[in-house]
Amino acid sequence: AAHGLIVAPAASGYNGESTLQWKTSQTSTSGTSSEYDGAANTVNMADANHPAANYCAGLSIGGYSDWYLPARYELEIAYYNLKPTTTSNTTSYGTNAYSVPARGSNYTAGDPAQTSVAAFQSGGAEDFVATTHWSSTEDSSTDAWRLNFSSGYQTYSLKTSYFYVRAFRKFAL
């Protein structure tokens, strides 16, 4: 079933625009391998050993308490639609079978372009910081997936690294 994604307001769901670790140790976390269901991943890591997901799961914003750390492809959908900058995209990424419509090819240097939504453009009240953000998707026992909101570059890093964290919610369409 298709879902709509909601990005948490920057003022209350972006950890004060400061960074957190994915995990406090470089060990496996079962149930965090989904590339498209951040809510399911977060359920399995909403504890003190997983600062990024625990932050998201602990939020209550606008009467909603179902916030979560987005999965790899949910985070990519936010980049594709809300890219804050005019920086050229990394052309090695962009394919996303979970987006609507599904995208079967990688980015070009200019697609996606900077979002037309002023509040989400760089310097706007709701913009994504144009650097690296954690997803809730584990890559290996030591690494988890991340995405850079400047260029769309995706890779994995040590879970004990510190990156930006922004909570998401979803609703059925």
Side-chain angles (χ1 to χ4, degrees):
H3 288 85
L5 296 174
I6 299 171
V7 176
S12 51
Y14 208 175
N15 193 40
E17 293 188 0
S18 61
T19 58
L20 291 168
Q21 291 175 303
W22 196 91
K23 192 171 185 179
T24 56
S25 61
Q26 290 169 200
T27 56
S28 285
T29 300
S30 61
T32 61
S33 61
S34 179
E35 294 187 316
Y36 61 88
D37 191 347
N41 289 343
T42 298
V43 164
N44 294 307
M45 53 195 283
D47 60 45
N49 295 319
H50 298 86
N54 199 46
Y55 164 75
C56 296
L59 292 170
S60 180
I61 303 168
Y64 295 96
S65 57
D66 57 348
W67 298 96
Y68 62 87
L69 183 62
R72 177 183 177 191
Y73 289 123
E74 290 174 316
L75 194 60
E76 189 281 332
I77 289 167
Y79 173 77
Y80 188 83
N81 290 285
L82 299 172
K83 180 184 174 187
T85 70
T86 58
T87 304
S88 290
N89 299 300
T90 300
T91 56
S92 302
Y93 304 95
T95 301
N96 187 338
Y98 304 105
S99 67
V100 178
R103 272 183 274 109
S105 59
N106 287 334
Y107 307 138
T108 64
D111 181 29
Q114 179 184 40
T115 181
S116 62
V117 182
F120 280 94
Q121 291 176 352
S122 195
E126 299 297 333
D127 70 332
F128 278 85
V129 178
T131 191
T132 304
H133 289 67
W134 277 125
S135 81
S136 61
T137 305
E138 181 177 80
D139 177 66
S140 68
S141 61
T142 57
D143 299 320
W145 282 96
R146 62 183 178 86
L147 185 146
N148 186 301
F149 269 79
S150 176
S151 65
Y153 180 74
Q154 299 173 44
T155 192
Y156 44 84
S157 287
L158 294 175
K159 294 175 179 178
T160 53
S161 301
Y162 286 81
F163 297 121
Y164 286 91
V165 174
R166 191 153 187 184
F168 282 37
R169 292 181 60 239
K170 65 182 174 182
F171 60 94
L173 294 176

